[in-house]
Amino acid sequence: MFRLRDREMSRKIIDKLERMSLDLTLMHVCGTHQDTLVRFGLDSEFRRIGIDIRQGPGCPVCVTPPGEIEEILAIARAGVTVAVFGDMMKVPGEKGSLNDAKADGADVRIVFGVDDAVALAKNNQKEVVFMGIGFETTSPTIAAAIRSDPPTNFSVLSCHRTVPPALAAIAEMGEIRLHGMIQPGHVSTMIGTRPYEFLSEKYKMPQVVAGFEPLDLMMGVYMLANQVRDGRAEVENEYSRVVHREGNLTAMKVLEDVFEPSDVLWRGFPVINGSGLSIRKRFETHDARSRYSDLLASVHEKEFSEVEGCRCGEMLRGILTSEECPLFSTGCTPANPLGPCMVSREGSCHISYRYRKKQAVR
Amino acid sequence: MCLAVPAEVKSIDGMMATVDFGGVSRTANISLVDAKIGDYVIVHAGYAIQLLDKEEAEKTLELFREMLEQENAGA
């Protein structure tokens, strides 16, 4: 359904890009973009013609810092039912993962979406905590569930983060010289294209919002290359069949009703101001941090460090690729991951491991 | 995580809709979009998050072709 996979057109785009003799470094912030790039061999094809595309902080599981992993582990180990997206199960904490906690008797459930967790609470007398992770694609759905009068035994541990402040942090930190950014299509269905405009104004950053089919990404890269060639820094929209400048106003209103911005850590980054989403006081019955404040106090007192040798942080800032990590596919594999970039199916290491033998389609 | 898939709305019951992912039927929460039967929506984690403009989708390849031709003229 709506597959954009036209071989002739792909070849035409690559040929045109090749004739431009490019030397560009681009960044995207989306696990699904990384999947398309690697699965179809586009990343190596782009590299061949002078375009290096890095995955930035675009994997929600990966950017969740160790302290928040410890929060959900503490809640699970205290006997509370926790519901999580499947990718969270293997993320290593200081003393094991949620999988380990489950093996030790904790009640940990994998859910497909927040409504499954609400249903679990409705059908269960026990307390249920849903770990809310994800960017603006996901957070409005969690806000909608919180607003829909869920049972009082349902609460959310909000680990949500917003994309634009992280993009600004990347630009501000200046560790990597970027010629353009490919913005995430589905985050953009919600927030629209307007929240990216300041990056073009302040940092002269060329940007294209792109979809997830191979041709979407190829056209996105082509549009960025043209912006660079023409000396333009604008927000262009390749994914116009779904993304509009204003986004989904209903969803954003629901989001703002339930959450307020907060200053939070991202794995690999310092605290990024205004990049977190805390549940507003009005909904504190459903805020796991408020509900379990005593239980979480000991977690909040401690500082948690990364697993020794894990370089996910550098990958999330785009300054290292998975293959450059000495542990990649040797000491760290999907079966025995050391860090979240190898745990999550959206992490750059997991994706590289999954597809690395694939060659370009061309 | 941000994976979202297009589906056609087949029937609506309050906030919930039955949607068809090219042969596979599922329910999706449609409280965040203004969808009606026959619309295509993008579904993420059990929620429809946006309507898909079918005409725009069908035009996409044509738009790409035009863009590439224009660039040809200028290059």
Side-chain angles (χ1 to χ4, degrees):
Chain A
M1 203 186 293
F2 305 116
R3 288 197 155 173
L4 288 178
R5 298 181 189 176
D6 182 313
R7 188 176 286 267
E8 188 195 336
M9 192 172 285
S10 306
R11 202 162 284 142
K12 201 179 238 181
I13 296 171
I14 292 289
D15 288 345
K16 276 169 141 318
L17 286 167
E18 191 168 8
R19 283 203 297 274
M20 290 166 86
S21 302
L22 298 163
D23 183 11
L24 300 180
T25 303
L26 309 177
M27 180 179 278
H28 71 81
V29 287
C30 180
T32 316
H33 275 156
Q34 183 71 3
D35 188 280
T36 303
L37 282 170
V38 181
R39 178 152 54 114
F40 293 95
L42 298 178
D43 60 335
S44 49
E45 185 65 356
F46 281 133
R47 217 172 294 122
R48 184 184 69 76
I49 58 173
I51 305 165
D52 185 9
I53 307 181
R54 300 293 176 103
Q55 180 175 5
C59 155
V61 172
C62 308
V63 300
T64 304
E68 291 176 20
I69 308 291
E70 296 301 334
E71 286 184 304
I72 195 71
L73 282 164
I75 292 171
R77 286 182 184 131
V80 178
T81 299
V82 304
V84 298
F85 289 123
D87 269 7
M88 286 310 305
M89 293 297 287
K90 278 191 189 175
V91 180
E94 199 172 49
K95 291 176 194 148
S97 62
L98 283 169
N99 253 345
D100 298 321
K102 189 177 167 108
D104 292 341
D107 188 6
V108 185
R109 314 283 184 101
I110 294 176
V111 291
F112 172 67
V114 65
D115 284 0
D116 295 343
V118 173
L120 188 63
K122 274 185 185 154
N123 301 326
N124 194 331
Q125 296 307 306
K126 286 176 69 182
E127 304 261 313
V128 174
V129 173
F130 174 73
M131 185 180 193
I133 63 160
F135 300 122
E136 294 95 322
T137 317
T138 317
S139 46
T141 69
I142 280 75
I146 290 175
R147 264 195 6 159
S148 65
D149 199 18
T152 51
N153 59 334
F154 169 81
S155 62
V156 173
L157 182 74
S158 174
C159 304
H160 293 294
R161 281 165 172 72
T162 53
V163 168
L167 301 174
I170 291 274
E172 201 63 49
M173 287 162 88
E175 286 182 307
I176 178 166
R177 162 98 174 92
L178 292 178
H179 298 91
M181 286 179 170
I182 302 166
Q183 303 302 19
H186 289 143
V187 165
S188 308
T189 62
M190 293 301 209
I191 68 173
T193 60
R194 202 192 274 267
Y196 304 118
E197 289 172 1
F198 78 100
L199 288 163
S200 290
E201 286 156 20
K202 189 170 176 189
Y203 303 101
K204 305 289 169 237
M205 185 68 74
Q207 303 174 75
V208 172
V209 174
F212 301 94
E213 288 290 317
L215 261 185
D216 283 321
L217 272 169
M218 297 178 91
M219 272 313 287
V221 170
Y222 180 64
M223 289 159 82
L224 279 176
N226 282 338
Q227 283 202 43
V228 174
R229 181 197 61 194
D230 301 343
R232 290 179 288 124
E234 301 164 8
V235 185
E236 291 182 295
N237 182 11
E238 181 279 332
Y239 200 27
S240 57
R241 58 193 187 275
V242 181
V243 174
H244 314 290
R245 185 163 182 255
E246 302 304 328
N248 181 336
L249 293 173
T250 305
M252 294 312 285
K253 196 169 173 302
V254 169
L255 178 77
E256 281 158 26
D257 193 37
V258 172
F259 291 109
E260 58 190 349
S262 54
D263 304 339
V264 291
L265 264 178
W266 293 49
R267 191 182 293 263
F269 289 79
V271 168
I272 304 176
N273 292 341
S275 68
L277 291 173
S278 297
I279 296 171
R280 290 185 191 275
K281 188 103 178 133
R282 190 151 63 91
F283 297 100
E284 73 176 347
T285 322
H286 301 297
D287 182 354
R289 284 204 182 86
S290 160
R291 208 175 174 114
Y292 302 102
S293 55
D294 292 346
L295 175 64
L296 294 175
S298 60
V299 178
H300 294 159
E301 280 164 13
K302 282 183 75 175
E303 273 192 30
F304 299 94
S305 50
E306 304 287 340
V307 175
E308 204 178 319
C310 174
R311 298 181 72 179
C312 277
E314 289 158 90
M315 280 168 227
L316 295 168
R317 301 202 301 278
I319 57 175
L320 191 82
T321 65
S322 300
E323 283 84 354
E324 287 166 348
C325 175
L327 294 173
F328 177 75
S329 85
T330 53
C332 182
T333 62
N336 289 299
L338 281 185
C341 297
M342 189 58 97
V343 172
S344 172
R345 291 186 64 79
E346 293 199 307
S348 61
C349 299
H350 194 290
I351 292 170
S352 288
Y353 191 93
R354 229 166 45 233
Y355 299 121
R356 71 194 153 115
K357 289 187 179 141
K358 293 252 174 163
Q359 297 302 310
V361 225
R362 196 174 147 91
Chain B
M1 199 64 222
C2 293
L3 185 68
V5 184
E8 186 181 357
V9 177
K10 290 294 190 185
S11 64
I12 295 175
D13 181 9
M15 289 299 177
M16 300 306 288
T18 301
V19 298
D20 174 40
F21 296 92
V24 179
S25 265
R26 283 274 176 88
T27 54
N29 186 311
I30 53 165
S31 64
L32 299 176
V33 294
D34 185 16
K36 47 186 196 306
I37 292 169
D39 282 345
Y40 278 83
V41 289
I42 300 282
V43 180
H44 165 75
Y47 279 71
I49 58 168
Q50 187 57 280
L51 297 179
L52 188 146
D53 186 334
K54 204 174 161 213
E55 278 179 26
E56 187 85 11
E58 280 161 1
K59 276 193 318 202
T60 302
L61 273 180
E62 202 45 49
L63 289 170
F64 286 176
R65 267 189 204 105
E66 275 173 30
M67 219 182 285
L68 290 167
E69 290 310 316
Q70 273 173 13
E71 293 298 331
N72 258 344

